[in-house]
């Protein structure tokens, strides 16, 4: 391998981290993969190699699961109080903030997103979620239950940690996805084998160091970097893992479900989306236009809840398209570490080809490219914010998740909310949606009719730690974050005492 590329603006601390040998975290020790293999990780803003990472596979997953099992059954994690557990998670949040700049630089370098997003939104958001879940550690309760069986009984439920959990995460928000998984698992007292996406292992590894620094005992969090078909598949199928949490494509979600059937481990899934943005004629354009622009182009469209299908009433359709195109044209696109960048690259050559392939399919099927539709520059994987009009529900660009900066726009000419909702719900997915209107009654009526795990009225997204997130239909199983997210990591036990 050539010497890894060091971006001139990464700063000494991120540079020092990058220069390390990147190993697996198993049982509190940093170890190379058993096979001795490594793989390269890239800066999508330049396409250049930035580090070599240990390539874990099934043999390493076995060791990590054994370490997690030991830490669960006989480690101090089981005997410390919920309050102590909460304090350690809180300390981890403090450490994240103290190292915010370095972690944000690593996130941006590996994922491509603008530094301002990594530093000012993602790192604080992750610290918030760790703290939110740290607070729950002392508030995990059951219920007392009056039972009617003849005799005298005292009956109650307790919530216990589900056990050893495998967590497989994607590359679109590497630190956030690790946090969504780890925070509730730690709060409930589970132990973890985490597999970051092969495209973006860096911040999860840095987080692993901070987990140690926070005093979380050895073996509680194990991190196995590697590929999906090897390390990921080994986690999904492992007979000694009690639960697997997955975020990624619906295609792989299905594979995980099959693999989990072997020992019937619990499964939670956060999968694809094709979320509608529904704009009524009375919508405040000064809110709806930037809202819809953000909904699709944030993180270069690589967001599972992205508002990728626009439905605007005929009366405001042109205004919406002109407005979004104008705003999209002003988005400053560039390397995430450049001062001016508001939108970075997509994650990889593969992803760029995939997204451009969809744009071509749309064109071939009769869609009009109203904005963008092309790659930008020759280095890195930049795609111009793209709007496709003259689209219809039969087109693959409208039906399938593109996971890139491509908006499919359609209009409606109707006042019937049922019919509008039917169009919006015409998708195998049900992750999110938004409704733009100044009529509060229409807003709520539509919110009731949208079959999705999150619906915004005059806003598309909110990633607050307290708000459950997840999908209806083929967008997933279960809800992450919030109180609901905690329950993914507990088992309920009924205890009956005969008096
Ligand atoms: P994408 O194709 O956009 O990278 P994936 O759903 O394939 O999204 O990847 C999400 C996560 O799932 C990654 O961590 C990846 O390594 C993992 N993964 C991919 N294939 C499998 C598989 N067969 N079994 C388990 N995990 C997998
Ligand atoms: Mg894949």
């Amino acid at each position: 391998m050539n010497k890894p590329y060091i971006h001139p603006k990464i700063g000494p601390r991120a540079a020092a981290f990058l220069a390390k040998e990147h190993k697996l975290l198993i049982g509190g020790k940093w170890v190379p993969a058993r096979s001795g293999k490594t793989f390269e990780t890239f800066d999508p803003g330049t396409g250049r190699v930035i580090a070599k990472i240990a390539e874990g596979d099934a043999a390493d997953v076995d060791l990590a699961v054994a370490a997690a099992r030991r830490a669960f059954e006989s480690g101090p994690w089981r005997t410390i109080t919920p309050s102590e557990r909460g304090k350690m998670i809180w300390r981890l949040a403090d450490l994240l903030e103290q190292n915010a700049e370095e972690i944000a630089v690593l996130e941006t370098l590996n994922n491509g997103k603008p530094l301002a997003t990594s530093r000012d939104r993602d790192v604080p958001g992750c610290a918030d979620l760790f703290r939110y879940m740290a607070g729950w550690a002392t508030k995990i309760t059951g219920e007392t239950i009056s039972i009617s069986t003849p005799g005298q009984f005292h009956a109650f439920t307790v919530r216990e940690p589900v056990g050893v959990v495998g967590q497989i995460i994607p590359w679109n928000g590497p630190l956030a996805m690790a946090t969504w998984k780890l925070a509730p698992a730690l709060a409930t007292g589970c132990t973890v084998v985490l597999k970051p996406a092969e495209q973006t292992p860096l911040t999860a590894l840095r987080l692993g160091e901070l987990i140690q620094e926070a005093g979380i005992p050895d073996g509680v969090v194990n991190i196995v970097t590697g590929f999906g078909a090897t390390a990921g598949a080994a986690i999904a199928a492992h007979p000694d893992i009690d639960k697997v949490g997955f975020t990624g494509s619906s295609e792989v979600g299905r594979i995980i479900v099959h693999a989990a059937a072997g020992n019937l481990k619990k499964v939670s899934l956060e999968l694809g989306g094709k979320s509608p943005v529904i704009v009524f004629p009375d919508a405040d354009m000064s809110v709806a236009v930037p809202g819809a622009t953000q909904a699709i182009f944030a993180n270069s469209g690589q967001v599972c809840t992205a508002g990728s299908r626009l439905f605007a009433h005929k009366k405001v359709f042109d205004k919406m398209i002109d407005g979004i195109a104008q705003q999209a044209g002003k988005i400053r696109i560039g390397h995430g570490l450049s001062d001016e960048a508001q939108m970075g690259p997509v994650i990889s050559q593969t992803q760029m080809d995939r997204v451009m392939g969809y744009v071509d399919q749309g064109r071939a099927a009769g869609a009009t490219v109203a904005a963008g539709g092309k790659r930008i520059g020759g280095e890195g994987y930049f795609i111009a914010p793209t709007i496709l009009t003259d689209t219809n529900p039969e087109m693959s660009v409208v039906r399938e998740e593109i996971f890139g900066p491509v908006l499919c726009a359609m209009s409606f000419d109707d006042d019937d909310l049922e019919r509008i909702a039917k169009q919006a719900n015409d998708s195998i997915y049900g992750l999110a949606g938004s409704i733009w209107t100044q009529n509060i009654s229409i807003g709520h009526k539509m919110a009731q009719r949208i079959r999705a795990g999150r619906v915004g009225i005059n806003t598309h997204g909110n990633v607050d730690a307290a708000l459950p997130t997840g999908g209806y239909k083929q967008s997933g199983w279960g809800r992450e974050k919030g109180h609901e997210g905690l329950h993914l990591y507990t088992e309920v036990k009924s205890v009956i005492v005969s008096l």
Side-chain angles (χ1 to χ4, degrees):
M1 187 183 91
N2 294 329
K3 216 168 133 50
Y5 166 73
I6 305 284
H7 191 281
K9 289 180 88 170
I10 69 171
R13 294 187 51 208
F17 179 79
L18 274 183
K20 280 188 184 181
E21 194 180 335
H22 301 289
K23 301 182 187 176
L24 315 174
L25 178 58
I26 297 179
K29 299 205 163 53
W30 293 94
V31 295
R34 289 294 297 267
S35 67
K37 283 200 212 163
T38 59
F39 65 100
E40 295 173 330
T41 193
F42 298 87
D43 168 3
T46 61
R48 300 200 215 181
V49 175
I50 49 174
K52 271 200 310 185
I53 310 289
E55 186 186 331
D57 60 22
D60 306 288
V61 168
D62 277 344
L63 293 174
V65 173
R69 177 57 61 191
R70 270 195 308 279
F72 183 71
E73 304 290 349
S74 48
W77 198 232
R78 202 178 182 82
T79 49
I80 63 172
T81 63
S83 162
E84 286 173 302
R85 220 163 53 223
K87 274 190 219 157
M88 288 179 193
I89 301 170
W90 194 279
R91 208 175 297 146
L92 179 57
D94 291 343
L95 287 169
L96 260 183
E97 283 179 347
Q98 285 160 24
N99 294 279
E101 181 74 25
E102 177 200 344
I103 290 171
V105 166
L106 293 172
E107 185 82 336
T108 287
L109 199 61
N110 210 181
N111 163 277
K113 61 175 70 186
L115 183 62
T117 309
S118 304
R119 186 189 50 214
D120 305 334
R121 216 190 57 198
D122 291 357
V123 174
C126 290
D128 265 3
L129 181 55
F130 275 121
R131 290 197 181 106
Y132 174 87
M133 289 296 175
W136 275 119
T138 50
K139 298 165 198 71
I140 298 168
T141 57
E143 298 176 309
T144 56
I145 298 179
S146 306
I147 60 174
S148 304
T149 322
Q152 285 193 54
F153 296 96
H154 167 50
F156 60 96
T157 57
V158 283
R159 284 189 178 270
E160 298 181 341
V162 70
V164 173
V165 303
Q167 304 189 309
I168 302 172
I169 56 173
W171 44 260
N172 62 329
L175 184 70
M177 293 299 100
T179 303
W180 286 30
K181 292 278 180 288
L182 290 172
L186 292 174
T188 50
C190 294
T191 61
V192 177
V193 177
L194 175 76
K195 193 198 86 62
E198 53 271 35
Q199 295 87 346
T200 53
L202 289 176
T203 44
L205 293 172
R206 184 69 184 100
L207 188 63
E209 295 181 344
L210 298 182
I211 284 168
Q212 294 185 296
E213 204 177 324
I216 293 170
D218 290 350
V220 172
V221 176
N222 305 275
I223 303 176
V224 178
T225 45
F227 292 92
T230 49
I235 289 172
H238 205 287
D240 202 31
I241 289 183
D242 298 299
K243 178 217 154 70
V244 61
F246 171 76
T247 300
S249 61
S250 293
E251 176 198 349
V252 175
R254 239 170 245 118
I255 296 174
I256 303 263
V257 168
H258 284 289
N263 71 335
L264 289 172
K265 59 174 66 67
K266 310 292 183 270
V267 179
S268 56
L269 304 169
E270 217 255 78
L271 308 175
K274 194 77 187 178
S275 300
V277 173
I278 308 160
V279 185
F280 285 88
D282 71 327
D284 178 347
M285 287 291 120
S286 73
V287 177
V289 167
T293 306
Q294 267 297 107
I296 182 62
F297 298 131
N299 210 28
S300 306
Q302 304 170 119
V303 180
C304 48
T305 53
S308 48
R309 287 183 299 145
L310 174 74
F311 294 97
H313 192 280
K314 268 223 159 68
K315 283 186 190 151
V316 291
F317 183 80
D318 290 343
K319 253 193 221 153
M320 282 300 294
I321 298 302
D322 293 347
I324 297 170
Q326 207 176 53
Q327 293 223 338
K330 283 195 211 136
I331 297 174
R332 294 190 302 269
I333 298 164
H335 193 284
L337 291 179
S338 66
D339 293 328
E340 61 280 1
Q342 294 171 318
M343 182 169 141
V346 297
I347 192 70
S348 62
Q349 178 77 47
T350 310
Q351 191 62 16
M352 187 167 70
D353 293 344
R354 199 180 121 82
V355 174
M356 294 314 296
Y358 271 114
V359 173
D360 291 342
Q361 278 179 44
R363 260 200 205 102
T368 302
V369 179
K374 54 181 191 296
R375 181 183 177 181
I376 299 176
E379 192 192 56
Y381 313 120
F382 297 92
I383 298 177
T386 298
I387 305 172
L388 301 180
T389 54
D390 300 313
T391 57
N392 67 60
E394 272 70 57
M395 294 179 179
S396 61
V397 285
V398 173
R399 306 209 70 78
E400 295 169 23
E401 182 179 51
I402 297 176
F403 222 66
V406 181
L407 177 66
C408 293
M410 286 154 282
S411 64
F412 60 91
D413 187 10
D414 201 340
D415 299 323
D416 185 87
L417 298 187
E418 292 296 341
R419 279 197 297 264
I420 297 167
K422 194 157 178 254
Q423 254 185 300
N425 288 329
D426 181 17
S427 170
I428 59 168
Y429 298 114
L431 203 50
S434 57
I435 299 149
W436 305 79
T437 175
Q438 297 191 68
N439 182 321
I440 197 157
S441 169
I442 287 183
H444 282 287
K445 281 181 183 165
M446 276 306 288
Q448 286 176 352
R449 286 165 173 75
I450 297 300
R451 306 254 310 141
R454 189 183 80 202
V455 182
I457 301 176
N458 297 322
T459 177
H460 186 77
N462 192 308
V463 290
D464 193 278
L467 274 177
T469 298
Y472 283 37
K473 300 192 268 183
Q474 294 184 34
S475 287
W477 290 352
R479 296 291 179 272
E480 296 190 286
K481 299 193 287 121
H483 195 194
E484 300 282 340
L486 204 68
H487 290 174
L488 290 180
Y489 294 94
T490 62
E491 290 272 25
V492 176
K493 179 183 283 176
S494 291
V495 182
I496 314 100
V497 187
S498 172
L499 301 176

